[in-house]
């Protein structure tokens, strides 16, 4: 299964993944605040501010990788030991 770093939107329990290019239509770096900002899709429309350290590695399905996100129940966080 592919592994991607992702950030969870607590509001709708959806995890958005960072593509290998590092570019995402939904995630932007705010230079003023010095942190990243995720804009969740409708109907949630949540905004999540986070630092790079908040990204966690997830084991995900191929279709989730193509979509760029998955519900929290459809991916598995990989815990570091
Ligand atoms: Zn959301």
């Amino acid at each position: 299964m592919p592994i991607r770093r992702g950030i969870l939107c607590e509001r709708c329990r959806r995890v958005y993944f960072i593509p290998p290019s590092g570019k995402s239509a939904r995630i932007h770096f705010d230079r003023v605040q010095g942190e990243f900002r995720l804009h969740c899709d409708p109907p949630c429309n949540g905004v999540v501010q986070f630092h790079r350290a908040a990204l966690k590695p997830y084991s995900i399905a191929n279709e989730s990788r193509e979509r760029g996100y998955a519900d929290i129940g459809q991916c598995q966080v990989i815990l570091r030991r």
Side-chain angles (χ1 to χ4, degrees), residues 8-16 38-48:
L8 169 70
C9 175
E10 299 272 358
R11 208 152 124 179
C12 64
R13 312 298 288 168
R14 185 181 274 182
V15 183
Y16 287 92
L38 161 70
H39 292 268
C40 195
D41 284 350
C44 172
N45 293 316
V47 178
V48 184

Side-chain angles (χ1 to χ4, degrees), residues 64-79:
S64 302
R65 180 182 59 181
E66 281 156 29
R67 241 179 353 183
Y69 62 84
D71 288 335
I72 187 78
Q74 295 174 327
C75 57
Q76 176 112 39
V77 68
I78 299 167
L79 299 170

Side-chain angles (χ1 to χ4, degrees), residues 4-75:
R4 285 281 183 278
R5 289 185 309 150
I7 187 78
L8 169 70
C9 175
E10 299 272 358
R11 208 152 124 179
C12 64
R13 312 298 288 168
R14 185 181 274 182
V15 183
Y16 287 92
F17 306 114
I18 310 288
S21 67
K23 287 180 188 154
S24 165
R26 302 179 182 93
I27 298 170
H28 299 279
F29 186 69
D30 186 326
R31 281 171 213 283
V32 179
Q33 301 288 333
E35 60 190 9
F36 290 89
R37 193 167 293 172
L38 161 70
H39 292 268
C40 195
D41 284 350
C44 172
N45 293 316
V47 178
V48 184
Q49 288 174 285
F50 63 95
H51 288 276
R52 193 179 291 275
L55 291 165
K56 289 180 189 161
Y58 289 87
S59 176
I60 62 174
N62 282 315
E63 54 267 30
S64 302
R65 180 182 59 181
E66 281 156 29
R67 241 179 353 183
Y69 62 84
D71 288 335
I72 187 78
Q74 295 174 327
C75 57

